[in-house]
Amino acid sequence: MLNRIISVCFLFTACVMPVCGQAAEKQETGNQSAAELNTTIPVKMKYLLYLPENYDEKEKWPLVLFLHGAGERGDDLDLVTVHGPPKLIKNGKQFPFIVVSPQCPKEQLWQPVELTALLNDIEKKYKVDKDRIYVTGLSMGGFGTWSLAAYTPYRFAALVPICGGGEKFWVKKIKHVPIWVFHGGKDTAVPIERSQTLVDVLKKEKADVKFTIYPEAGHDSWTETYNNPEVYEWLLQQVRKPKAEVRAAEEKEEAARKAKRAAAKKKK
């Protein structure tokens, strides 16, 4: 049935060296003191993997990470093929890039640290072009797209969040990343304002952002989006900007803001 199912168990460590040197049972009472955590947390995640037909003919390939919505959570990977690229692949469509489609467990949300662990593992095992990694997702996966990009703002070449949302301060960290946002004008599950707010922040920051609204669509703004070849053509045109270049621009902007604030103080 599904012959590309891979399960990954990736261990990552939050490593902190002990400082206080005191066991918990000897903790001083009536006052606070320093303590540290040193533990290993397992990440176990099922996912679908698609490799292009001519995968062996090239040294590296672009990669699309697809994040499903809340309705596809669980431990049955068939659910992941209900929408988006996994659905199209299941129906015979061929893509010129690697597609990784993880499944989120029941009653949980997409966690950036876990998705980062997955991508790290994929990069080690497969021929991934690290300058052409793209993230897209719908509904809960749209929220996950925004949050993952904010968690690792220098990793991705482009984003396609669909009927999602997030926090305003997230997007200021990813204003250098090309983003194409989609939403239904009559969405009652995730109001269009959730996308509009973030798009407005990005436009104010002069970011490379596009916003497509389907005036008559409800929550399902993803079917038309993923059926549109122009979306994939646009993605494949995007290449990650060098981190040093982006950081230099950020530092220049911050210096300009400080100078402006200092000048304003002098006038007072």
Side-chain angles (χ1 to χ4, degrees):
M1 186 171 56
L2 291 169
N3 60 357
R4 294 275 187 193
I5 298 176
I6 299 180
S7 179
V8 62
C9 182
F10 184 92
L11 295 180
F12 65 94
T13 305
C15 228
V16 197
M17 297 295 292
V19 199
C20 61
Q22 297 293 326
E25 58 271 23
K26 296 180 180 180
Q27 186 73 24
E28 181 183 353
T29 60
N31 197 2
Q32 65 181 357
S33 58
E36 291 192 352
L37 172 69
N38 185 351
T39 188
T40 298
I41 304 172
V43 177
K44 187 175 183 180
M45 187 182 299
K46 290 184 177 180
Y47 62 92
L48 297 175
L49 174 70
Y50 167 83
L51 300 178
E53 282 188 325
N54 56 336
Y55 174 76
D56 293 329
E57 297 177 10
K58 293 185 179 181
E59 291 184 5
K60 56 185 180 180
W61 288 87
L63 181 148
V64 171
L65 175 67
F66 167 72
L67 305 180
H68 63 69
E72 293 74 64
R73 291 177 292 186
D75 57 5
D76 178 4
L77 276 168
D78 273 332
L79 292 173
V80 182
T81 66
V82 172
H83 301 299
K87 174 185 177 180
L88 298 174
I89 293 168
K90 185 178 181 179
N91 291 334
K93 185 171 181 60
Q94 299 294 313
F95 284 113
F97 43 76
I98 299 169
V99 182
V100 177
S101 307
Q103 185 172 38
C104 185
K106 288 182 180 179
E107 301 180 358
Q108 293 188 26
L109 302 175
W110 291 115
Q111 300 299 322
V113 68
E114 295 181 352
L115 293 170
T116 297
L118 172 62
L119 285 174
N120 290 345
D121 193 64
I122 292 292
E123 285 184 357
K124 291 177 183 177
K125 293 179 178 177
Y126 301 97
K127 299 189 291 184
V128 177
D129 184 345
K130 295 181 181 181
D131 289 322
R132 300 175 74 194
I133 298 178
Y134 315 107
V135 188
T136 182
L138 60 94
S139 194
M140 184 184 83
F143 282 85
T145 299
W146 289 109
S147 63
L148 175 60
Y151 182 72
T152 50
Y154 306 108
R155 183 167 203 168
F156 303 112
L159 311 173
V160 178
I162 304 171
C163 58
E167 301 295 336
K168 291 182 182 179
F169 68 89
W170 287 356
V171 297
K172 290 185 178 182
K173 299 171 66 176
I174 53 174
K175 62 185 180 181
H176 59 281
V177 180
I179 305 173
W180 193 351
V181 184
F182 294 84
H183 217 117
K186 296 181 178 180
D187 192 336
T188 56
V190 180
I192 191 172
E193 289 77 19
R194 297 306 302 269
S195 284
Q196 186 69 65
T197 297
L198 303 186
V199 170
D200 289 345
V201 172
L202 287 167
K203 286 183 176 179
K204 188 176 180 181
E205 297 288 333
K206 299 180 181 179
D208 181 1
V209 59
K210 302 200 294 182
F211 190 21
T212 296
I213 299 172
Y214 303 113
E216 300 303 315
H219 193 43
D220 182 3
S221 51
W222 55 80
T223 298
E224 186 171 351
T225 300
Y226 288 126
N227 284 340
N228 183 358
E230 292 183 11
V231 173
Y232 306 107
E233 292 169 6
W234 177 82
L235 276 176
L236 293 173
Q237 292 171 6
Q238 313 307 318
V239 179
R240 178 177 61 168
K241 295 180 176 65
K243 181 177 179 179
E245 177 184 315
V246 175
R247 291 295 298 272
E250 291 172 344
E251 290 170 3
K252 185 177 180 180
E253 288 178 6
E254 180 59 26
R257 282 193 292 267
K258 287 181 179 179
K260 188 176 181 180
R261 288 195 295 266
K265 283 184 179 180
K266 284 184 178 179
K267 286 183 179 180
K268 290 181 181 179

